[in-house]
Amino acid sequence: MTRTGRRPGTPDTRDAILAVARRRFATRGYDATSLRSIAADARVDPALLIHYFGTKEDLFTEATGLPIRVSELLAGMGGASLPETIEALVRGYLLLVDSDQSRNAILALVRSAVSHEQAAAMLREFLTAELLTSIAALTSLSNAPLRASLVAAQLVGIAMLRHVVRVGPVARATPDEIVALVAPVIERYLI
Amino acid sequence: MTRTGRRPGTPDTRDAILAVARRRFATRGYDATSLRSIAADARVDPALLIHYFGTKEDLFTEATGLPIRVSELLAGMGGASLPETIEALVRGYLLLVDSDQSRNAILALVRSAVSHEQAAAMLREFLTAELLTSIAALTSLSNAPLRASLVAAQLVGIAMLRHVVRVGPVARATPDEIVALVAPVIERYLI
């Protein structure tokens, strides 16, 4: 066995990678952070990083506890009409934020974002680079980035009222009831 | 001077009243807490409490740092059309959350609500008793409480993205740009 100066793959290595990822996402932002730069910083082979975590989005999800995998959320929507896509987006979002694990992750994320600029920066970068870009691509109207951000604000607000502040009507509503009211409103932003 | 067992009006008294108010709003909720019960608990004359703070809503605002005085927000909307009322609601909300002082109060409130059940309960009671009731009264559609809550979710989400997470397009948009996009969407919930 030769020693290359790179760490072998152990549970400690995994934690070390996550620590480096959190620091780089927080200080450089999601966009400017590559898997390669995290691997270099953590002194591991990029292949090991991919082996452990998959894509950059997966690593971010793991590093932040963010429960939303945007790629999964929007998967299978190709060829669907805009109303169908929006309904799937809202339904998928609710599925994600309604799980116990996700609820706790959301609480942790929001708590971090209001207290620490770095956590807010991390959440902002991710929302901007991944979620908002995907939603903005659904519309050809002017102001697409602002429209997409207001859609995201609606979704973030629903999670806040449903799981953080727990306002009765939103907390008790079924996903179907919420989708029925919210999907047409999101359409209004994008069409 | 006779001593009645009631505290005289000093700055300490004011702070003591605020401490009692915070505790009662948090434990009993906004609805079940009367000015009279706070005065009794703080061992002051109810008149002193009114002299210091005005209404129960004013006292709540002061006790929580909540920047939104719903009564002011909806004042002067009598006789206006629903679109005009909604536009005034969104514009008034942005005016409130965009001030430096309010931004700090929002950060403090959200930080409290995600960390402490009592703070979440206080915010929930207030939103339910005051804001949601006023918005729900604007519509005669079924599901009015859920519709009003989703409107509130949109507004809360905008404050989160504009001032907490600071997502570019929402953070940089002028109030006019936001009103132009959000008001028709809120109409869609209520008409």
Side-chain angles (χ1 to χ4, degrees):
Chain A
M1 241 177 101
T2 57
R3 293 182 62 88
T4 61
R6 285 184 163 163
R7 300 182 193 185
T10 69
D12 284 353
T13 313
R14 203 174 177 285
D15 289 345
I17 294 170
L18 283 174
V20 167
R22 279 188 203 101
R23 192 175 64 237
R24 286 194 78 96
F25 282 132
T27 53
R28 308 288 179 94
Y30 182 80
D31 258 348
T33 299
S34 65
L35 285 185
R36 185 163 296 276
S37 69
I38 294 170
D41 231 17
R43 294 173 32 240
V44 299
D45 196 293
L48 181 65
L49 208 140
I50 291 162
H51 168 72
Y52 273 143
F53 301 101
T55 65
K56 180 166 100 169
E57 189 183 351
D58 292 325
L59 175 57
F60 185 90
T61 303
E62 184 90 8
T64 56
L66 194 76
I68 298 168
R69 295 202 48 222
V70 181
S71 57
E72 279 182 12
L73 212 62
L74 298 178
M77 290 189 191
S81 69
L82 186 60
E84 287 168 342
T85 303
I86 290 169
E87 189 178 320
L89 175 72
V90 179
R91 200 173 291 281
Y93 176 78
L94 289 174
L95 261 178
L96 285 163
V97 301
D98 283 356
S99 75
D100 275 349
Q101 192 195 337
S102 298
R103 196 160 52 239
N104 291 333
I106 292 168
L107 285 169
L109 249 189
V110 174
R111 196 178 294 137
S112 304
V114 291
S115 312
H116 306 290
E117 171 48 32
Q118 285 200 343
M122 187 147 57
L123 187 51
R124 174 169 62 248
E125 287 288 333
F126 182 72
L127 282 174
T128 304
E130 298 278 318
L131 187 57
L132 300 187
T133 307
S134 306
I135 298 177
L138 299 176
T139 184
S140 55
L141 295 174
S142 65
N143 275 337
L146 180 55
R147 288 171 185 276
S149 303
L150 292 169
V151 170
Q154 173 70 85
L155 296 175
V156 167
I158 289 171
M160 286 291 293
L161 265 61
R162 192 165 168 84
H163 294 307
V164 180
V165 188
R166 287 192 304 287
V167 169
V170 182
R172 283 191 306 266
T174 64
D176 279 347
E177 289 170 327
I178 294 179
V179 169
L181 290 173
V182 172
V185 161
I186 291 181
E187 246 182 87
R188 184 79 176 71
Y189 275 125
L190 301 177
I191 298 184
Chain B
M1 239 176 100
T2 57
R3 293 181 64 86
T4 60
R6 286 183 161 163
R7 301 180 194 187
T10 69
D12 283 354
T13 313
R14 202 173 177 286
D15 289 345
I17 294 169
L18 283 174
V20 168
R22 277 187 206 102
R23 194 175 63 236
R24 287 194 77 95
F25 282 132
T27 53
R28 309 288 179 93
Y30 182 80
D31 259 347
T33 300
S34 64
L35 286 184
R36 187 164 294 278
S37 68
I38 293 171
D41 230 18
R43 293 174 32 238
V44 300
D45 196 293
L48 182 66
L49 208 139
I50 291 163
H51 168 71
Y52 272 142
F53 300 101
T55 65
K56 180 165 99 169
E57 189 182 350
D58 292 325
L59 176 56
F60 185 90
T61 304
E62 185 90 8
T64 56
L66 194 76
I68 299 168
R69 295 201 48 221
V70 180
S71 58
E72 278 182 11
L73 211 63
L74 297 178
M77 289 188 191
S81 68
L82 185 61
E84 286 168 342
T85 303
I86 289 169
E87 189 178 320
L89 174 73
V90 179
R91 200 174 290 282
Y93 176 78
L94 289 174
L95 261 179
L96 285 163
V97 301
D98 283 357
S99 76
D100 276 349
Q101 191 193 339
S102 298
R103 195 161 51 240
N104 290 333
I106 292 168
L107 285 170
L109 250 189
V110 174
R111 197 177 292 135
S112 304
V114 291
S115 311
H116 305 291
E117 171 49 30
Q118 285 199 343
M122 186 146 59
L123 187 52
R124 176 168 62 247
E125 287 288 332
F126 182 70
L127 282 174
T128 304
E130 299 276 318
L131 186 57
L132 300 188
T133 306
S134 307
I135 298 176
L138 299 175
T139 183
S140 54
L141 295 175
S142 65
N143 275 337
L146 180 56
R147 288 172 185 275
S149 303
L150 292 169
V151 170
Q154 174 71 83
L155 295 176
V156 167
I158 288 171
M160 286 290 294
L161 264 62
R162 192 164 168 86
H163 294 306
V164 180
V165 187
R166 288 193 301 288
V167 169
V170 182
R172 283 191 306 265
T174 64
D176 279 348
E177 289 170 326
I178 293 178
V179 168
L181 290 173
V182 172
V185 161
I186 291 180
E187 245 182 88
R188 184 78 176 71
Y189 274 125
L190 301 178
I191 298 183

